[in-house]
Amino acid sequence: MSKIRFWMLKSYHFIYNKLLMNQVALITGASRGIGRGIALELAAVGWDLIINYSNNQAAAEDTVNCSIEHAHKAGHEIRAEICQGDIGQAIDRQRLVDFVRNHFGRVDLLVNNAGITSIGRSDLLEASEENWDALMAINLKGPFFLCQLVGSWMLEQNNLDDSWRGKIINISSISSGAVSTNRGDYCVAKAGLSMVTKLFAARLADAGINVYEVCPGIIASDMTEPVKLKYDKMINDGLTPIRRWGKSSDVGKAVVALAQDYFPFTTGDVFNIDGGFTIRRI
């Protein structure tokens, strides 16, 4: 087969799939917490989903079932699949992207959500290199190289159809700018993810691929359950002007707004979903 014919067929299949298929979102770490909330909100507006998980297959399958149910209630038919993978590992990242290619043939949105909290929550003067490396692999290295893999694929899709627009959303944290001296590695990783967002936003902008940072505040999840009493008091005492815990659906709704192209003239920007935490008050 000639190269010209090959590219004609590839372009035809891409445009054909574009017309017939829902848009496709790959969400890392989507079996629970914020990732699950994002999946449910995207399902409700008709997106097909790849639910990535690391260890908890049962939770991932439950997210799939609940996403399909949410879609049905909103009048949409969607596909949702699970794919296991530790995004801190290069072989798993490649396998995850290959899975999306083979099962969906396209990707319109990457949500880099997977992350772990600081292991042991050690004081800065006692933090270990081993724990630092483990956290950085998942919270910073993984998202960077997934942006690279998926961003390259998105450029391929744009070359086949220059009207097509992909998006990447990195889920950061208020810890990218707010210091916690017992979670130094986590803060550094989230600050680094802010720069990853800007780098890829600049690199991919010419192809119309927008990259965003969504920055959640104090969100109720499995990760924050161990510090619930601490933050209950802080919220009640006015830590945030909106005096409640954030919900995963709050973050999910922000992702939907960006995914649905409600902010077409912005890229590389931060969207704070934090109850007003970043307002400076005296």
Side-chain angles (χ1 to χ4, degrees):
M1 182 184 296
S2 70
K3 287 186 177 180
I4 294 176
R5 187 181 176 199
F6 171 78
W7 281 105
M8 287 178 65
L9 287 172
K10 192 171 182 180
S11 178
Y12 169 79
H13 284 301
F14 175 75
I15 295 170
Y16 177 77
N17 286 337
K18 178 183 174 185
L19 293 172
L20 293 184
M21 293 175 61
N22 298 328
Q23 294 189 91
V24 177
L26 166 58
I27 312 168
T28 66
S31 63
R32 59 189 180 89
I34 289 174
R36 176 185 170 96
I38 293 169
L40 295 178
E41 294 298 328
L42 284 169
V45 293
W47 282 68
D48 286 350
L49 306 172
I50 299 91
I51 304 299
N52 162 250
Y53 72 99
S54 180
N55 298 308
N56 196 335
Q57 181 175 338
E61 290 173 346
D62 185 64
T63 297
V64 163
N65 293 333
C66 289
S67 296
I68 293 171
E69 183 179 344
H70 266 57
H72 285 172
K73 287 180 179 178
H76 301 291
E77 295 291 331
I78 69 165
R79 287 182 62 199
E81 304 281 352
I82 64 171
C83 184
Q84 190 278 334
D86 175 359
I87 68 162
Q89 303 296 320
I91 191 171
D92 282 14
R93 291 192 296 271
Q94 186 62 61
R95 182 166 53 81
L96 178 57
V97 173
D98 289 344
F99 178 91
V100 183
R101 279 186 181 269
N102 294 333
H103 288 76
F104 291 83
R106 61 183 285 173
V107 64
D108 301 273
L109 171 66
L110 166 65
V111 182
N112 273 313
N113 168 76
I116 60 173
T117 192
S118 187
I119 302 168
R121 293 177 178 261
S122 300
D123 181 84
L124 283 175
L125 302 180
E126 299 171 354
S128 72
E129 282 193 52
E130 180 183 6
N131 288 345
W132 169 282
D133 290 343
L135 182 140
M136 289 294 171
I138 296 170
N139 289 21
L140 186 56
K141 184 178 77 171
F144 179 94
F145 286 105
L146 264 180
C147 283
Q148 184 186 80
L149 280 171
V150 174
S152 296
W153 183 13
M154 286 181 169
L155 289 177
E156 291 179 28
Q157 293 177 96
N158 178 256
N159 286 336
L160 294 172
D161 176 6
D162 62 11
S163 70
W164 177 88
R165 296 290 182 265
K167 294 176 182 64
I168 296 174
I169 299 174
N170 295 319
I171 306 301
S172 179
S173 167
I174 56 174
S175 293
S176 65
V179 168
S180 296
T181 57
N182 67 335
R183 296 188 300 135
D185 48 4
Y186 185 83
C187 294
V188 170
K190 292 302 185 182
L193 192 57
S194 295
M195 180 54 69
V196 169
T197 300
K198 294 177 177 64
L199 286 166
F200 281 95
R203 176 62 180 85
L204 299 173
D206 283 345
I209 300 166
N210 293 352
V211 185
Y212 307 103
E213 176 187 357
V214 169
C215 193
I218 302 167
I219 307 296
S221 70
D222 295 349
M223 187 180 291
T224 54
E225 184 62 30
V227 290
K228 184 178 186 304
L229 292 178
K230 170 187 173 181
Y231 283 113
D232 279 345
K233 183 178 187 308
M234 294 175 74
I235 291 168
N236 288 335
D237 289 344
L239 177 67
T240 55
I242 300 175
R243 298 194 189 200
R244 69 166 174 86
W245 281 78
K247 298 178 288 188
S248 60
S249 59
D250 292 322
V251 183
K253 287 178 172 61
V255 169
V256 166
L258 295 170
Q260 298 284 83
D261 210 27
Y262 293 158
F263 298 90
F265 194 52
T266 181
T267 192
D269 289 305
V270 182
F271 289 78
N272 293 306
I273 315 301
D274 62 3
F277 174 82
T278 52
I279 298 172
R280 299 179 69 181
R281 293 171 289 169
I282 57 174

